[in-house]
Amino acid sequence: MMSSSDDKDKAELIAKMKRTKEQWDREALDSEDGPDETDALLSQAISMAIEQGRGWSSPEEREKYLEQLLDDDYIPPLFAENQEELEKSGLKDAFTTLHNEGETPGKNMLDFRKKGNDSIALGRKNVAKNLQYYRDAVNHYYAAFHWASRIVPKDEGFAPTPEELEAAKEDPFFNEKELNELKSIICSNCAMAHLCLKNWGFVRDESKKAVDYNSKNIKAWYRLAKAHEMLQNWDEAGNAIESGLEVEKDNKEILQLQKKLDKRIRKARVLRQQRERARAERTSRIKDVWRHTKQDNIALGRVSLVATVKDDEDENESGGDEVEARWHHHYPHTGQLPKRAQDGSWTWPVLFVYPSHHQSDFIEHFAEEEIVALRMAQMFPEQEDDCSQETEMPWDYNNEFRCSNLAVYFEVHCLTEGEKVIHPDSVERLKDQAATMRFYEASRALKGDEGPEMATVARCVERKHLHRQRKMWIQAHGSLWAKPEPCPVIQVHPAATLGQVLRHKDMVVPNFLVTMFLFPADHPAHTEFLKDHKIISIVEPQKGN
């Protein structure tokens, strides 16, 4: 029995708690944002403590409880919203017991498993081939797995008391190994029900879960192989067959499936090996290119390979048309890489763009030591006898495309090295070998080189990258319409070599493709181009060229 002094202390404590609660409630209401969830939880906790306030076994226990209750980091277990908060309360085990109190997860699991088995049996006996039995079986197996997930397994050395043995008649207990085997059986049976419904994707997923819980489940391996067969994943079907035969080498069903799929599995594996070999070769080439560019101070860049971040996006609102215009002329040639010859020299893919006539020429191998004027002379020869003679290009109506009459430029991208926020239309510098490899593989995948599934994955990754760029730009500048100024340009002297262009301090090669803009000197498009693009430097030929 508590003394009168304890009663007095208790009353003082409750009064103090009331005052604290009223003060916190006032502060929460006076806040600009109003009371948040934490304020409400603390207020409820103190109210509950006041209403249910009984005596403490000692003054020390009372003070300890008050200190804990007034701690900002303390959340009463009743109000815990996640596992971490429940563990902080120190009452995890008690609440776990309370969670299952009055329930029998072990019994419920076995009951629902039996219902699922019965539904499968009824479906097989049904002359009308009513599929509803199999749908019911799926639902029963899902329920069985739900209850299995709520069972807390006993330790291996668990020795039940007579009372626990008696209780196990109503709700059986299992150790971890037994529970995993049961989960494997439930998932495998669920896969069987899906198989009867021809839901091959679900058959695959449930079979995978089954073999994860028990790698010796031979039925699950067979159903996994069958699912991959129907999904035409021949290589994966072969892996499942081989894993099943490791468990039971004489299994007739799996051996029959192996014989049936043998040719397709072999062909799929040959193709996979070819893809892996090609991927390894590409990786080696990218590494070689990266080493060359780092050693010779050649900067690489990338542009967005997609124009929108979702399928139903209005391109006119999002700026998609401009993004598309930005990279479209690169797209057919994006998979090209610089190549090293046997003598150690390098050639690059080069794109000559003629904005005045909306035309372009792609040069697959342009040697670094080659003079730009020599290549131009081959493409646009001088008319020695009669300057009025027509050129070879049918679109050159005014016969302006002659080597000596052309001005050559390249745009300056990434003017500020290390700039974190760039407009989605702009060229982004490739900072390391890994980023370079990812971009190259994405560009190939979007062209369809790796099949439709990889194209979809690459498109999703590129859209995420574009979305992040847009978000950062909007945060920094308020809107996508706040576009950067047009790129300045560097003029290229015709006697300069491609290597000099590549090594210019302001040159960034987008998409591994050296892009130069060529204009007839007196063409109006040239004048308009120079109005928008400031010439900031010129690539002069080195002595001896």
Side-chain angles (χ1 to χ4, degrees):
M1 180 178 294
M2 298 180 62
S3 64
S4 58
S5 61
D6 289 335
D7 290 338
K8 183 179 179 181
D9 291 341
K10 176 182 177 183
E12 290 178 356
L13 175 60
I14 292 176
K16 181 178 179 181
M17 292 172 66
K18 284 182 177 179
R19 290 194 299 272
T20 302
K21 177 182 180 301
E22 291 170 357
Q23 178 185 349
W24 285 356
D25 288 344
R26 285 196 302 271
E27 291 175 353
L29 290 172
D30 293 340
S31 172
E32 294 182 0
D33 300 326
D36 59 18
E37 295 182 4
T38 304
D39 297 329
L41 288 173
L42 290 172
S43 181
Q44 292 176 34
I46 295 176
S47 297
M48 183 179 295
I50 293 172
E51 293 171 3
Q52 298 181 354
R54 303 186 184 90
W56 286 269
S57 59
S58 67
E60 291 78 11
E61 181 184 351
R62 177 194 64 196
E63 292 297 330
K64 182 178 180 182
Y65 176 76
L66 179 61
E67 289 176 3
Q68 184 186 43
L69 190 61
L70 299 182
D71 184 356
D72 289 341
D73 294 330
Y74 174 71
I75 296 180
L78 185 61
F79 301 110
E81 295 184 341
N82 53 50
Q83 187 72 14
E84 182 180 358
E85 292 180 355
L86 182 60
E87 290 175 353
K88 285 183 178 179
S89 73
L91 294 175
K92 175 186 174 184
D93 294 338
F95 269 75
T96 301
T97 302
L98 180 62
H99 181 66
N100 287 331
E101 186 175 354
E103 297 178 344
T104 54
K107 181 177 181 299
N108 291 346
M109 174 195 68
L110 296 177
D111 288 346
F112 277 108
R113 189 186 73 163
K114 184 178 183 303
K115 289 179 180 178
N117 294 345
D118 292 343
S119 294
I120 290 283
L122 290 172
R124 286 173 173 171
K125 294 177 181 178
N126 185 260
V127 178
K129 298 183 179 180
N130 190 343
L131 297 179
Q132 188 58 43
Y133 289 111
Y134 300 121
R135 297 189 185 102
D136 292 341
V138 168
N139 292 331
H140 292 322
Y141 289 132
Y142 283 159
F145 189 84
H146 163 75
W147 286 109
S149 300
R150 299 184 63 155
I151 297 173
V152 179
K154 302 296 184 182
D155 295 333
E156 287 292 335
F158 172 71
T161 63
E163 293 79 7
E164 289 172 329
L165 285 173
E166 185 64 27
K169 295 178 181 179
E170 288 295 324
D171 187 28
F173 54 80
F174 309 92
N175 60 37
E176 187 171 3
K177 181 180 179 182
E178 293 170 337
L179 187 59
N180 285 340
E181 288 178 353
L182 282 168
K183 287 181 178 178
S184 179
I185 292 171
I186 292 169
C187 291
S188 179
N189 290 354
C190 188
M192 179 61 194
H194 278 302
L195 188 148
C196 295
L197 294 168
K198 296 183 169 39
N199 296 333
W200 302 111
F202 288 106
V203 177
R204 174 198 60 202
D205 296 342
E206 293 298 324
S207 299
K208 281 183 179 179
K209 287 166 60 178
V211 296
D212 286 342
Y213 284 115
N214 179 15
S215 61
K216 303 296 183 182
N217 190 332
I218 188 66
K219 293 182 179 179
W221 283 119
Y222 171 75
R223 288 161 191 167
L224 180 59
K226 188 67 179 177
H228 281 307
E229 176 200 2
M230 302 309 295
L231 294 170
Q232 298 187 9
N233 299 329
W234 312 117
D235 197 3
E236 291 83 352
N239 294 338
I241 288 171
E242 290 169 0
S243 298
L245 292 177
E246 289 179 3
V247 177
E248 187 179 319
K249 63 180 181 180
D250 297 327
N251 186 277
K252 292 183 179 179
E253 289 181 318
I254 294 183
L255 287 172
Q256 288 175 356
L257 193 58
Q258 183 186 46
K259 183 178 180 180
K260 176 183 175 182
L261 303 180
D262 183 61
K263 290 184 179 179
R264 289 176 173 174
I265 292 172
R266 288 177 183 273
K267 183 178 179 181
R269 288 179 171 174
V270 168
L271 292 175
R272 173 174 55 81
Q273 290 171 358
Q274 291 175 350
R275 289 195 302 270
E276 291 175 350
R277 189 180 303 112
R279 190 175 295 113
E281 291 174 355
R282 292 198 304 272
T283 301
S284 177
R285 286 183 61 194
I286 285 287
K287 289 180 177 179
D288 204 16
V289 170
W290 182 257
R291 280 193 297 268
H292 172 62
T293 57
K294 295 306 289 182
Q295 291 171 1
D296 285 33
N297 294 319
I298 301 173
L300 299 176
R302 58 160 291 165
V303 293
S304 178
L305 294 172
V306 294
T308 59
V309 296
K310 53 187 179 182
D311 290 332
D312 57 350
E313 183 175 331
D314 187 342
E315 294 185 357
N316 292 325
E317 292 183 2
S318 66
D321 286 340
E322 296 188 18
V323 176
E324 183 74 16
R326 187 75 178 169
W327 66 266
H328 184 267
H329 60 265
H330 288 209
Y331 181 75
H333 317 296
T334 301
Q336 302 290 335
L337 282 177
K339 295 181 180 179
R340 182 171 59 176
Q342 292 182 351
D343 61 0
S345 62
W346 283 83
T347 62
W348 286 73
V350 175
L351 192 70
F352 280 176
V353 181
Y354 319 126
S356 60
H357 290 69
H358 305 288
Q359 299 290 331
S360 65
D361 279 315
F362 174 67
I363 305 166
E364 187 172 0
H365 302 292
F366 198 127
E368 289 186 3
E369 64 274 11
E370 187 175 352
I371 296 174
V372 175
L374 292 179
R375 180 68 68 160
M376 290 170 58
Q378 293 175 4
M379 300 173 65
F380 313 114
E382 296 293 331
Q383 307 299 325
E384 298 179 359
D385 299 332
D386 183 3
C387 291
S388 64
Q389 184 179 349
E390 291 187 359
T391 60
E392 295 182 2
M393 287 68 67
W395 42 264
D396 183 19
Y397 302 112
N398 296 322
N399 302 313
E400 298 171 296
F401 273 76
R402 300 187 304 275
C403 179
S404 61
N405 190 42
L406 297 176
V408 185
Y409 306 92
F410 68 81
E411 288 184 326
V412 176
H413 306 293
C414 313
L415 191 59
T416 304
E417 186 172 356
E419 187 176 2
K420 294 183 179 180
V421 181
I422 65 169
H423 193 274
D425 291 1
S426 301
V427 174
E428 178 184 0
R429 190 183 295 267
L430 290 169
K431 298 180 180 179
D432 53 48
Q433 181 177 285
T436 306
M437 173 62 74
R438 287 194 297 270
F439 172 71
Y440 177 69
E441 289 296 328
S443 68
R444 292 185 66 262
L446 282 174
K447 288 175 64 178
D449 292 354
E450 294 293 316
E453 292 184 359
M454 288 304 298
T456 301
V457 172
R459 187 175 297 108
C460 290
V461 172
E462 281 295 307
R463 283 178 169 177
K464 183 177 179 181
H465 183 82
L466 177 62
H467 175 72
R468 184 166 58 250
Q469 281 186 316
R470 288 182 178 180
K471 184 176 180 181
M472 292 175 65
W473 182 265
I474 291 172
Q475 289 175 347
H477 300 279
S479 170
L480 286 176
W481 297 106
K483 296 182 180 295
E485 294 295 325
C487 293
V489 295
I490 306 292
Q491 188 168 4
V492 179
H493 192 289
T497 64
L498 177 63
Q500 289 173 246
V501 174
L502 289 168
R503 291 165 181 79
H504 191 279
K505 64 181 182 65
D506 292 325
M507 178 58 164
V508 175
V509 184
N511 296 18
F512 310 101
L513 188 62
V514 183
T515 305
M516 299 187 196
F517 297 86
L518 281 68
F519 293 89
D522 299 327
H523 198 283
H526 186 203
T527 305
E528 291 298 320
F529 181 79
L530 294 181
K531 284 182 180 179
D532 294 333
H533 300 79
K534 181 182 178 182
I535 300 176
I536 60 175
S537 182
I538 184 170
V539 180
E540 295 282 3
Q542 293 179 351
K543 292 182 179 181
N545 288 343

